[in-house]
Amino acid sequence: QEQPVESGGDSVQAGGSLRLSCTASPSTFANHRNYMAWFRQAPGKEREGIGGIYTGSGATSYGDAGKGRFTISRDNAKNTIYLQMNSLTPEDTGMYYCAADRNFVSPWFYTTEYNSWGQGTQVVVSS
């Protein structure tokens, strides 16, 4: 599968906002049962699920890392999903990854669920 491509990572002050983008292949969005997700990995920590979205219905799920301050959306015309992050804290620092082409054999937050991963985009939040 073609790898998704993330963008939008930056260095921001605590309390700020960022919007990350992930552009996938047209075939990923053509399958309306497909599911894409955002993960992040802080230095020295395991990769954790932020949330995910069905490319067809737009229905979303969030993990503890994404509840309350983060919002996932999609633009099917652009083959892109977004991660809007508000009220950022230094604990949000890390590499943010987009995952696509889910297997649907495990919960969405399992990294083994996905066959395609982006290279990641770096987010640094300073206090």
Side-chain angles (χ1 to χ4, degrees), residues 3-62:
Q3 284 185 312
V5 178
E6 307 96 335
S7 62
D10 204 347
S11 296
V12 297
Q13 295 280 336
S17 298
L18 278 176
R19 189 178 79 157
L20 307 184
S21 301
C22 172
T23 301
S25 67
S27 60
T28 294
F29 277 81
N31 179 358
H32 285 186
R33 293 182 65 249
N34 217 331
Y35 190 94
M36 297 177 65
W38 285 100
F39 288 76
R40 71 181 182 189
Q41 189 164 17
K45 294 189 177 181
E46 292 189 356
R47 197 168 295 190
E48 63 174 341
I50 296 171
I53 186 167
Y54 281 97
T55 55
S57 68
T60 55
S61 299
Y62 293 93

Side-chain angles (χ1 to χ4, degrees), residues 37-92:
W38 285 100
F39 288 76
R40 71 181 182 189
Q41 189 164 17
K45 294 189 177 181
E46 292 189 356
R47 197 168 295 190
E48 63 174 341
I50 296 171
I53 186 167
Y54 281 97
T55 55
S57 68
T60 55
S61 299
Y62 293 93
D64 289 342
K67 287 178 182 175
R69 297 181 294 122
F70 295 178
T71 303
I72 297 173
S73 61
R74 81 205 191 292
D75 184 338
N76 286 14
K78 296 181 178 180
N79 301 322
T80 299
I81 67 168
Y82 302 98
L83 178 64
Q84 177 67 44
M85 304 187 293
N86 299 325
S87 302
L88 287 163
T89 72
E91 288 68 36
D92 295 314

